[in-house]
Amino acid sequence: MRTVLIIGALAALAACSSTPPAPLTPPPAINIYECAAPAGMTAPERQPLRPLGNYTQDDVALYITDLHHWATRGWLKLSRVREHADKCAQSADDEEAE
């Protein structure tokens, strides 16, 4: 038992005399760009109201037309957000190239 303690104490003392490793080199600088779309581009729009109760074919046709226009505006907004993000990413790439 004493020999184990002596060996452990010697190992601990030997570890104290060792030199620390050389510090690591810092990582390269990374430019972080936020290409968040403005709030106006992502604001939700009111959904068309469904016809309730006794409704006619005209009411259904108007609802479907409103729904189509609502969805079309949504897809246009999405394409504008994508264009905005692409332009922002492109400008970030241009700054890095300089």
Side-chain angles (χ1 to χ4, degrees), residues 71-84:
T72 302
R73 284 191 308 272
W75 284 111
L76 289 173
K77 279 178 129 180
L78 181 60
S79 68
R80 288 188 190 118
V81 168
R82 285 184 180 151
E83 288 173 8
H84 179 268

Side-chain angles (χ1 to χ4, degrees), residues 43-50 62-78:
E45 290 191 23
R46 181 192 62 82
Q47 294 181 3
L49 298 175
R50 295 179 183 165
L62 289 173
Y63 171 69
I64 291 173
T65 304
D66 289 344
L67 192 63
H68 174 73
H69 290 295
W70 177 74
T72 302
R73 284 191 308 272
W75 284 111
L76 289 173
K77 279 178 129 180
L78 181 60

Side-chain angles (χ1 to χ4, degrees), residues 9-21:
L10 289 174
L13 290 174
C16 291
S17 66
S18 64
T19 59

